[in-house]
Amino acid sequence: MTSIQEHVDLLPYNTFKIAAKAKYFATVSTIADLHALLETPVYKHEKHLILGGGSNILFTGDFEGLVIKVDLKGIETVWEDDSTIVLKSGAGEPWHSFVMFCVTNNYGGVENMSLIPGTMGAAPMQNIGAYGVEVKDRIKTVEAIDVSTGEVHLFSNRECEFGYRESVFKHKLKGKYFISSVTLTLTKKNHVLNTSYGAIQQTLDQHNTVPSVKTISDAVIAIRQQKLPDPKVIGNAGSFFKNPTIEQTQYELLKKSYPEIPGYFTENQNVKVPAGWLIEQCGWKGKTLDSIGVHPHQALVLVNYGNGTGEKIWTLAQDILASVKKKFAIDLHPEVNII
Ligand SMILES: Cc1cc2nc3c(=O)[nH]c(=O)nc-3n(C[C@H](O)[C@H](O)[C@H](O)COP(=O)(O)OP(=O)(O)OC[C@H]3O[C@@H](n4cnc5c(N)ncnc54)[C@H](O)[C@@H]3O)c2cc1C
């Protein structure tokens, strides 16, 4: 049975490198561990937070409850034929390790999402995505445990209600389920490769390579290493805000004042505007305030250069929200979970 520790420093457990403390902390490595934990007085009387790799979380203070660290490991084949394989991965498996497992075996479908930090269990939470691909396109089912009853529930892809950085687990079912494993469908041949993002094709051209599961993964890794700050070096949680979607009429009005405003039409004829561009236009890119700031190359990424607190980062985020609202009348929403 897993032990419950007290007053645990959360700094090693969040990529923003915030020095918050957890009143209680327990690591869950098996489903039996979780069931046992659900029976403890600490679980019954304290609020709880399920924690994966802490790469999409901002602690704005100490966590006065129980942090449940997910550590269920293992990747197994559920089914396969000549062209398709279905893999089940434990929720605590690092996402990038799973991608590397697929790339090494030439299983296609997740290569564009190489090097996204965090765990498998958190991937469906916000329907992670990068370079034109989202995890919802690969997820078959999500196994989750109802933390009030201990019952196991298998969610179909449809039941997960995936959207852009959204799922049912972030809304209606927030805090109600512990995701224990995720089952994904990958291709073994006739891969549907996605090089629609210019940077991928450019990188392939530079290296004179043809698209494959491996070369796309290598290209994505190279691009990400160039573009994004490594959380091991500078504390951050990737994109702090989601890209907002506005109505076409508002976009056209804005285009009159800002002819260079970028925008991408969505399926329902609204327009998605890059939040990074809006933030940059408000003069935030590269701003540093004490030990926190906005990354000099990526305005969407807020950073902790050293001893920054979550409270300060959240204040900065709110100032950014207010200035974008004032200049463009657009509401930005955090992608990061504010705790
Ligand atoms: C440098 C950097 C780059 C990034 N790039 C991308 C990107 O390209 N695309 C993208 O989509 N994201 C990106 N992210 C964000 C982040 O990597 C993902 O959101 C990731 O899925 C978070 O995983 P995690 O295990 O760290 O989750 P955590 O931060 O630990 O948790 C996130 C949320 O999920 C909940 N949760 C975690 N595990 C479980 C579980 N097993 N059951 C129930 N709830 C759970 C938590 O309670 C919390 O609400 C980036 C982050 C960084 C630092």
Side-chain angles (χ1 to χ4, degrees):
M1 153 69 191
T2 181
S3 66
I4 300 176
Q5 296 162 265
E6 289 183 45
H7 309 297
V8 171
D9 182 6
L10 293 170
L11 191 140
Y13 298 105
N14 73 99
T15 60
F16 251 129
K17 296 195 181 5
I18 301 296
K21 283 213 168 357
K23 187 173 173 194
Y24 298 103
F25 185 98
T27 301
V28 164
S29 306
T30 62
I31 289 179
D33 279 352
L34 180 69
H35 281 139
L37 189 65
L38 299 183
E39 293 305 317
T40 60
V42 168
Y43 179 80
K44 287 183 175 159
H45 295 119
E46 302 285 338
K47 63 175 181 173
H48 70 269
L49 170 72
I50 301 171
L51 186 66
S55 64
N56 199 22
I57 268 183
L58 177 68
F59 289 109
T60 54
D62 291 340
F63 187 74
E64 298 296 337
L66 170 66
V67 169
I68 307 174
K69 170 84 181 110
V70 184
D71 194 35
L72 290 99
K73 292 279 169 60
I75 300 172
E76 62 182 82
T77 301
V78 175
W79 180 88
E80 69 182 308
D81 64 9
D82 280 357
S83 54
T84 309
I85 185 158
V86 179
L87 296 174
K88 181 177 174 181
S89 166
E93 201 63 58
W95 169 258
H96 183 62
S97 305
F98 176 81
V99 175
M100 287 299 97
F101 176 82
C102 294
V103 170
T104 307
N105 289 290
N106 193 34
Y107 301 151
V110 287
E111 58 281 355
N112 291 49
M113 294 180 280
S114 298
L115 216 61
I116 298 182
T119 54
M120 177 57 82
M125 285 296 298
Q126 73 150 3
N127 178 26
I128 58 167
Y131 299 98
V133 177
E134 290 178 318
V135 75
K136 76 169 171 53
D137 304 331
R138 291 289 143 203
I139 289 182
K140 190 173 159 61
T141 52
V142 171
E143 182 192 85
I145 293 158
D146 182 330
V147 291
S148 59
T149 62
E151 277 170 26
V152 179
H153 186 101
L154 202 60
F155 289 86
S156 68
N157 181 300
R158 197 180 49 78
E159 285 174 317
C160 292
E161 298 178 16
F162 290 122
Y164 164 60
R165 299 297 174 272
E166 295 293 354
S167 76
V168 72
F169 304 107
K170 263 182 97 170
H171 294 283
K172 240 171 24 207
L173 302 183
K174 194 175 166 140
K176 294 195 161 67
Y177 281 90
F178 176 102
I179 294 172
S180 44
S181 71
V182 182
T183 300
L184 305 96
T185 307
L186 290 308
T187 52
K188 285 169 75 176
K189 60 183 186 190
N190 302 328
H191 303 303
V192 183
L193 301 171
N194 186 327
T195 56
S196 58
Y197 267 65
I200 295 185
Q201 193 57 55
Q202 272 165 24
T203 311
L204 294 176
D205 291 344
Q206 269 164 20
H207 294 92
N208 210 7
T209 42
V210 291
S212 72
V213 169
K214 170 86 171 89
T215 57
I216 291 181
S217 170
D218 288 346
V220 168
I221 291 172
I223 298 163
R224 293 183 71 102
Q225 282 173 337
Q226 258 174 24
K227 268 182 54 178
L228 289 167
D230 178 355
K232 287 195 196 95
V233 184
I234 303 174
N236 77 90
S239 304
F240 197 92
F241 302 101
K242 297 200 287 187
N243 292 318
T245 300
I246 59 175
E247 286 185 6
Q248 195 178 340
T249 44
Q250 186 185 4
Y251 180 71
E252 273 154 16
L253 267 178
L254 283 168
K255 216 162 169 61
K256 289 193 178 135
S257 313
Y258 307 96
E260 70 291 11
I261 185 171
Y264 308 93
F265 279 91
T266 61
E267 280 159 15
N268 47 7
Q269 294 307 300
N270 288 328
V271 182
K272 195 182 268 188
V273 181
W277 186 88
L278 299 168
I279 296 167
E280 192 175 341
Q281 296 304 306
C282 294
W284 289 103
K285 194 174 181 180
K287 273 252 162 83
T288 305
L289 307 145
D290 299 327
S291 49
I292 62 162
V294 179
H295 195 264
H297 305 314
Q298 267 296 342
L300 204 46
V301 178
L302 305 191
V303 289
N304 174 14
Y305 289 108
N307 301 319
T309 63
E311 223 179 342
K312 276 190 184 159
I313 292 171
W314 183 223
T315 304
L316 169 63
Q318 283 167 307
D319 289 346
I320 293 172
L321 290 179
S323 66
V324 168
K325 175 84 176 170
K326 193 166 168 210
K327 194 172 169 82
F328 298 104
I330 294 179
D331 287 307
L332 290 186
H333 297 284
E335 181 180 313
V336 171
N337 296 276
I338 315 298
I339 308 292

